[in-house]
Amino acid sequence: MKFSALIYKVLYIFLIAGCNDDKNSIIGYIEDEYIYMSSEIPAEIKNLDVSKGDVISAGEILFRVDNYTLNKKKERLEKNKQYEEAILENMQKGIRQSEIDIISIDINRISSELSKAESTLERKRKLRNKNFVSKEDIESEELNLIKKRNELQKIKADLNNRMLPSRNDELLAQKIKINTIDVDIDDSKYEISKAIIRSPVDGVIHDILKKEGEFASTGNPVLIITPNGYKKVKFYINRSQLYKVKHGEPIIITINDLDEEYEATINFISNKPEYTPPMLYDNKNDTLVYLIEAKFNNNQLRLPAGIPVEVQL
């Protein structure tokens, strides 16, 4: 590819140097545009669905990379969501009946102990009147009675509180947590979809750079596509002609083999001159040439790359 381009380059420079009769006619050649396809996910290439030279359509699968880790991540997120949704459901319902029954047993037990403590205190107060019980003993029983009453009041209040659903701010916080997991799941699904690489255009597989089992990293192409219709013309001009061309200027391309003319537009003018090879240089020839590129106005042209064309400036 590079060698043939060099041959064209030497030929075009020679024609530029030798054609003094028509300074506005220059020889150029057609070159393909390329699309380099890589994976956005750094992973092993599991399948190559195309081969070099295959004709492909937009949306067709080109290759796939390993998505095992991504699938496992998605499964973990979905299980976590189920867990948080169960918590939210409990928060909205309040305490379950089985828990109410357990707390009711404790209430009955403490109520019985409270009744017993009240009876014991009453009995000891009567004995105190007859000086059979000390004052300290009476105070100890009174303290025990107060503790039992407080314990019963606390457990009843706790039961009433737990029978209510959670507060609005707690429910909102739990819903936000679930929504965040939903976003993570959507992101995970998007990443999984990127494990399948599809063609963005109709075209031909120009080359395959990696094999199945090799690692595909971001920015390193796996294959190259030549899209249909995306052709450009490359030609070289000397310094004196450089002032005659402008970016966006229309030009006429003639293909002698087909006896056809095509319209193109200049879209690149090199700002770096290249030296004329010594074999072509003489005292009549400019030492420097500049690369010019132009795109065909008709993107549907099917012209083979490499064929020579005549450029009319």
Side-chain angles (χ1 to χ4, degrees):
M1 183 73 178
K2 292 183 178 178
F3 180 72
S4 61
L6 179 60
I7 293 175
Y8 282 123
K9 179 177 176 180
V10 173
L11 174 63
Y12 309 147
I13 296 173
F14 175 76
L15 290 171
I16 290 170
C19 294
N20 293 323
D21 294 333
D22 186 2
K23 299 257 183 193
N24 293 325
S25 179
I26 299 170
I27 300 299
Y29 66 97
I30 294 176
E31 186 174 88
D32 283 321
E33 295 278 10
Y34 298 109
I35 297 177
Y36 295 82
M37 300 299 300
S38 60
S39 172
E40 295 182 23
I41 301 169
E44 178 187 342
I45 300 172
K46 300 300 290 184
N47 298 93
L48 275 169
D49 295 75
V50 294
S51 300
K52 184 176 180 179
D54 283 355
V55 177
I56 56 172
S57 301
E60 186 173 338
I61 296 176
L62 301 175
F63 63 95
R64 312 160 200 249
V65 297
D66 185 22
N67 60 2
Y68 176 82
T69 303
L70 297 175
N71 282 325
K72 286 299 180 183
K73 177 183 176 182
K74 176 173 158 291
E75 289 176 9
R76 287 195 299 270
L77 288 169
E78 289 173 341
K79 289 180 180 178
N80 190 26
K81 179 185 176 183
Q82 292 175 355
Y83 173 75
E84 297 297 342
E85 285 178 336
I87 292 176
L88 177 62
E89 185 177 355
N90 282 336
M91 291 172 67
Q92 291 171 328
K93 288 181 178 178
I95 193 172
R96 290 174 293 186
Q97 184 59 47
S98 58
E99 294 176 290
I100 294 174
D101 293 341
I102 293 172
I103 295 175
S104 296
I105 291 172
D106 286 338
I107 290 175
N108 292 334
R109 176 182 58 79
I110 296 172
S111 296
S112 177
E113 291 175 356
L114 180 60
S115 297
K116 184 178 179 181
E118 289 175 343
S119 297
T120 300
L121 178 61
E122 182 64 26
R123 181 171 53 81
K124 286 189 176 184
R125 279 176 177 171
K126 290 178 180 180
L127 293 174
R128 171 63 182 161
N129 292 334
K130 297 179 181 181
N131 294 322
F132 291 123
V133 177
S134 67
K135 179 180 178 182
E136 288 77 12
D137 195 10
I138 295 296
E139 289 176 349
S140 176
E141 290 297 335
E142 288 176 343
L143 181 61
N144 181 54
L145 181 61
I146 291 172
K147 288 173 63 177
K148 293 296 181 183
R149 285 173 177 170
N150 289 340
E151 187 177 357
L152 180 61
Q153 184 178 0
K154 179 181 178 181
I155 198 169
K156 284 182 176 180
D158 182 56
L159 175 61
N160 291 333
N161 184 55
R162 295 177 65 182
M163 290 179 67
L164 297 173
S166 298
R167 297 195 305 267
N168 289 335
D169 55 345
E170 292 175 334
L171 293 174
L172 178 61
Q174 187 65 18
K175 289 177 181 178
I176 291 174
K177 182 183 290 187
I178 293 172
N179 289 339
T180 301
I181 297 174
D182 278 331
V183 172
D184 291 338
I185 290 175
D186 288 340
D187 288 344
S188 181
K189 289 178 179 178
Y190 178 75
E191 288 177 352
I192 290 173
S193 72
K194 290 296 182 182
I196 300 177
I197 292 78
R198 300 177 183 271
S199 175
V201 295
D202 298 337
V204 176
I205 301 299
H206 176 74
D207 200 3
I208 302 224
L209 307 177
K210 290 184 178 291
K211 301 176 182 178
E212 291 181 2
E214 291 186 328
F215 191 80
S217 57
T218 305
N220 291 323
V222 174
L223 54 83
I224 306 172
I225 298 174
T226 304
N228 291 345
Y230 288 82
K231 307 286 184 179
K232 62 184 177 182
V233 174
K234 298 180 72 172
F235 58 96
Y236 296 85
I237 61 176
N238 57 36
R239 187 172 56 191
S240 62
Q241 293 169 311
L242 181 64
Y243 305 105
K244 298 179 181 180
V245 297
K246 296 180 180 178
H247 193 279
E249 185 175 56
I251 58 175
I252 300 297
I253 307 297
T254 302
I255 301 177
N256 294 327
D257 294 343
L258 303 177
D259 195 24
E260 293 284 347
E261 289 188 351
Y262 303 93
E263 294 181 352
T265 302
I266 294 174
N267 68 328
F268 175 78
I269 301 174
S270 175
N271 58 1
K272 295 181 180 180
E274 303 177 34
Y275 283 100
T276 304
M279 67 189 74
L280 299 180
Y281 177 73
D282 60 33
N283 59 1
K284 295 180 181 179
N285 187 22
D286 199 331
T287 59
L288 300 175
V289 290
Y290 295 80
L291 170 64
I292 309 294
E293 293 183 4
K295 281 195 173 184
F296 286 99
N297 294 347
N298 182 359
N299 287 334
Q300 302 306 314
L301 294 177
R302 296 184 179 274
L303 299 172
I307 62 172
V309 299
E310 187 175 342
V311 180
Q312 300 291 335
L313 297 178

